[in-house]
Amino acid sequence: MYIHVGNDHVIKSQDLIGIFDIEATSTSSDTRRFLSECAKRKNDVSCTDNFPRSFVVTFEKKDLDEKVYISRLSPSTLKGRCKSGNTI
C-alpha cells in the first residue's frame, strides 16, 4: 500500500518508520542534527511549498538508507491515512 504525504509524493507503507510533528520535535538538538544530516546527504524530500507541519521518516531497503519527507499535512492527518487505509 502507498500513503500520500503531499504534492504528489507517496511512500510505501511498509517503509514507514515514523511520523513526527516538526514544530514539537525541532526543539531538540538531536532532531535538528538528524534533519540537517539527511539534507546534507540529499535524503530529504520537500512535499510542500508552504509552512511544513510534519516530517515522515522511511527506510528504503533498496537504498539501505533513511529518507525524510517534509510535509504540509499535520501528523494526525498522516496517521489517520495510515490507520484508515486511505492509501493510493
Side-chain angles (χ1 to χ4, degrees):
M1 298 276 236
Y2 292 89
I3 302 166
H4 179 259
V5 293
N7 278 5
D8 298 326
H9 292 280
V10 293
I11 60 169
K12 291 181 183 178
S13 57
Q14 66 194 30
D15 294 343
L16 178 67
I17 293 182
I19 299 169
F20 304 91
D21 182 312
I22 203 162
E23 187 176 337
T25 59
S26 63
T27 58
S28 165
S29 61
D30 291 334
T31 302
R32 288 193 308 270
R33 189 173 333 115
F34 172 74
L35 294 173
S36 176
E37 288 298 318
C38 285
K40 286 179 188 175
R41 292 192 320 264
K42 301 198 186 301
N43 285 1
D44 64 333
V45 178
S46 178
C47 302
T48 183
D49 296 326
N50 298 323
F51 186 73
R53 296 179 69 192
S54 62
F55 66 95
V56 178
V57 179
T58 64
F59 185 82
E60 298 177 5
K61 293 178 186 174
K62 66 178 180 173
D63 298 330
L64 295 177
D65 208 359
E66 70 274 345
K67 188 170 273 192
V68 175
Y69 294 84
I70 310 296
S71 178
R72 66 178 172 82
L73 301 172
S74 72
S76 60
T77 297
L78 292 171
K79 289 176 186 177
R81 290 181 178 187
C82 294
K83 291 179 184 175
S84 71
N86 184 0
T87 59
I88 295 175

